[in-house]
Amino acid sequence: MFIPDHAPETLAEMYAFLLPSVGDGLFDDVSFDDPDNPTKLVCTQNGHPVAAMTVANNDWIIAPYAAQGSSAEYYRSFNGYPLATVMRCTGGICFISVSDSGSRHVFVIAKTSDGQTGCLYFTHLVTFYPDDRITFYPTCFGDNTALSLYSHGFVVSGNLGSADRTILTRLPVVGQRGSTGFFSGVFMRNVMQFNDNGEQIIGGKHYGCLYHIALLDEESA
């Protein structure tokens, strides 16, 4: 698990932060659109884009891809916010914005059960409540964008904080009609024994935790 002292503010800083995830198998490549005059970072896997990142005046846009040649809809993207915190684990990466009208914007890139790398976008209140009701918008390359799960998202109602156990909830991949894939590198902390952020051992496995998110941090992620 790695949480830098300050979140990336330039494409060069973001490149340095993302590059170790190639070795973890999250991406096959992270590259600039133009090495001489870069305006965008593109993360690819299996020959197609997973997400693209641009920045202007420290406002980041992180857009997922469901198809070749065009990024997914605006409401599935991290759209023009400064980053407050980023976290990198073997199972995925989490980006969290500064406060925006009482909310934080969260974008996650993580491994899936079918060998892909997918994206999740959601918001939660700045005043963190473990029982928040969260709508996750999952995006993976090749998703059937006509499915209700794609357009309406996946809603999870949180439960207890400071409980006697932590329960991790699987989050689905849209895929095709009848798909059973899920995110294997990221989970929602649906019930929390400890609300703390940082490294936690849950069920004998290591995770990096930030608010509602738990990223798997095991060599076999």
Side-chain angles (χ1 to χ4, degrees):
M1 183 193 76
F2 175 60
I3 301 176
D5 291 336
H6 73 276
E9 296 181 353
T10 66
L11 287 176
E13 289 179 351
M14 182 64 80
Y15 177 81
F17 173 72
L18 294 173
L19 195 59
S21 291
V22 174
D24 291 331
L26 194 67
F27 311 118
D28 293 335
D29 183 58
V30 178
S31 59
F32 298 108
D33 58 339
D34 181 348
D36 297 323
N37 186 29
T39 61
K40 178 168 63 175
L41 268 176
V42 181
C43 305
T44 59
Q45 184 202 47
N46 299 327
H48 59 71
V50 173
M53 305 179 186
T54 60
V55 64
N57 300 319
N58 202 27
D59 288 336
W60 286 93
I61 296 176
I62 309 174
Y65 280 74
Q68 196 77 34
S70 61
S71 55
E73 294 83 357
Y74 180 90
Y75 69 92
R76 320 183 72 81
S77 302
F78 187 99
N79 283 298
Y81 310 105
L83 289 168
T85 308
V86 295
M87 177 174 67
R88 188 184 69 236
C89 295
T90 58
I93 301 170
C94 182
F95 307 87
I96 299 181
S97 78
V98 299
S99 173
D100 173 52
S101 300
S103 295
R104 290 188 179 94
H105 301 264
V106 183
F107 194 91
V108 178
I109 303 174
K111 297 178 181 180
T112 73
S113 62
D114 54 7
Q116 286 190 288
T117 295
C119 302
L120 285 167
Y121 171 75
F122 68 97
T123 62
H124 70 77
L125 297 176
V126 170
T127 303
F128 174 63
Y129 298 106
D131 57 352
D132 282 346
R133 186 174 184 268
I134 302 294
T135 301
F136 295 91
Y137 291 96
T139 307
C140 288
F141 191 87
D143 281 348
N144 181 347
T145 59
L147 296 178
S148 294
L149 179 58
Y150 183 89
S151 56
H152 295 290
F154 182 71
V155 180
V156 183
S157 293
N159 286 276
L160 304 173
S162 301
D164 66 336
R165 70 202 70 184
T166 295
I167 297 175
L168 300 180
T169 296
R170 283 182 175 177
L171 302 169
V173 169
V174 174
Q176 300 301 308
R177 190 172 299 278
S179 291
T180 58
F182 57 91
F183 285 88
S184 57
V186 60
F187 303 83
M188 177 179 175
R189 290 199 288 171
N190 190 269
V191 174
M192 300 183 195
Q193 185 175 10
F194 304 105
N195 295 347
D196 307 41
N197 293 325
E199 184 179 10
Q200 292 191 24
I201 298 175
I202 304 168
K205 294 183 178 181
H206 291 259
Y207 294 86
C209 296
L210 282 176
Y211 304 104
H212 295 286
I213 286 298
L215 289 175
L216 187 64
D217 199 32
E218 298 270 323
E219 290 298 323
S220 58

